[in-house]
Amino acid sequence: MVIDPKRIREKMVREQIEGRGIKDQEVITAMLSVPRHLFVDEALQSQAYADHPLPIGYGQTISQPYIVALMSSLLDVKPGMKVLEIGTGSGYQAAVLAEMGADVFSVERVKPLYQRARKLFSQLGYHYIKTKLDDGTMGWPQKSPFDRILVTAGGPDVPTPLVDQLSDPGILIIPVGDSKRSQKLIKITKNDGSVEREDMGSVAFVDLVGKFGW
Ligand code: SAH
């Protein structure tokens, strides 16, 4: 069991986040606030702040804390921005973005995960996170455009609906790769009508499925 989650959380941020060079104060503050242990099964709570992903059921995982910090930092979120997340999963990443002041829209395709995350958001006071049960590779056209889009599952390529639903200027982060379980973290930047693509390093995510996924 987690004895003192606040102290363990501080240690996680100091060693795994700041210790690896993430300096983004908004990300650090958010990760110090979100009770990560409540986003995993009770039986796994003692490992909630460890330096690796954890299973959340249905073959899915909650990402390693460092990866959540890295992606949140690359997104360069400013308070009030509209952020679309694909792959709600446990809801942890969405809660971190909400703590950073984002207006979060999150899409999940596995119904029990969607339901569990919704319940948790309301229990923890994240009533303002909007959720949808759907194929997130199609985005959320009715709510578009989005200042930022974050995909937390790895697909064969960048789904075109997501690029279309990205604001100009806007940033989209997505793991992309042709072999499952190992991808490149891709950063798409839209600016003045042009779209730039950068490789931000290797990552390992669960599969993005759906029309524009695997
Ligand atoms: N952001 C999550 C990580 C979850 S793992 C967290 O913080 O816990 C990736 C999630 O993406 C899984 O829950 C999986 O079901 C979901 N997923 C995969 N393909 C999807 C799709 N096409 N649309 C929506 N969700 C998808």
Side-chain angles (χ1 to χ4, degrees):
M1 280 306 101
V2 176
I3 312 293
D4 182 351
K6 188 167 174 284
R7 283 194 51 195
I8 300 176
R9 198 151 59 236
E10 283 167 4
K11 187 171 184 287
M12 170 195 86
V13 168
R14 197 169 56 244
E15 292 177 1
Q16 302 174 35
I17 313 297
E18 294 174 308
R20 290 200 181 103
I22 303 249
K23 296 188 178 71
D24 195 324
Q25 210 47 55
E26 285 69 32
V27 174
I28 289 167
T29 305
M31 291 187 69
L32 283 172
S33 323
V34 181
R36 180 171 164 97
H37 60 288
L38 300 181
F39 290 80
V40 301
D41 198 80
E42 231 179 296
L44 292 174
Q45 280 194 359
S46 63
Q47 297 177 58
Y49 295 97
D51 194 14
H52 51 73
L54 285 171
I56 55 171
Y58 311 94
Q60 310 303 326
T61 57
I62 176 174
S63 303
Q64 177 190 7
Y66 172 69
I67 292 296
V68 173
L70 177 67
M71 299 214 292
S72 305
S73 171
L74 288 173
L75 267 190
D76 192 21
V77 172
K78 302 278 182 281
M81 278 186 172
K82 271 174 76 181
V83 180
L84 174 66
E85 180 200 23
I86 308 306
T88 314
S90 68
Y92 178 69
Q93 173 76 73
V96 168
L97 294 169
E99 286 286 349
M100 292 170 71
D103 185 14
V104 182
F105 297 77
S106 187
V107 185
E108 172 58 56
R109 58 176 287 281
V110 177
K111 193 170 183 187
L113 291 175
Y114 158 83
Q115 287 171 325
R116 198 166 68 191
R118 276 179 69 93
K119 195 167 158 214
L120 199 55
F121 291 152
S122 92
Q123 283 169 350
L124 297 178
Y126 297 112
H127 305 279
Y128 44 91
I129 297 178
K130 273 76 76 185
T131 54
K132 179 160 121 114
L133 179 67
D134 211 339
D135 173 7
T137 66
M138 304 301 288
W140 195 331
Q142 300 83 354
K143 302 289 183 186
S144 68
F146 299 96
D147 301 299
R148 302 289 187 257
I149 301 178
L150 176 60
V151 184
T152 62
D157 209 341
V158 185
T160 41
L162 299 185
V163 181
D164 294 343
Q165 291 170 36
L166 184 65
S167 297
D168 185 349
I171 298 174
L172 160 62
I173 306 282
I174 176 172
V176 171
D178 29 54
S179 74
K180 296 190 174 191
R181 315 245 169 247
S182 166
Q183 309 89 21
K184 298 282 181 207
L185 194 59
I186 300 296
K187 177 179 177 183
I188 303 276
T189 308
K190 212 187 244 189
N191 213 349
D192 276 342
S194 75
V195 177
E196 191 189 308
R197 185 178 170 129
E198 283 170 90
D199 177 350
M200 310 307 293
S202 293
V203 285
F205 274 85
V206 294
D207 291 341
L208 177 70
V209 295
K211 186 158 190 275
F212 292 87
W214 291 108

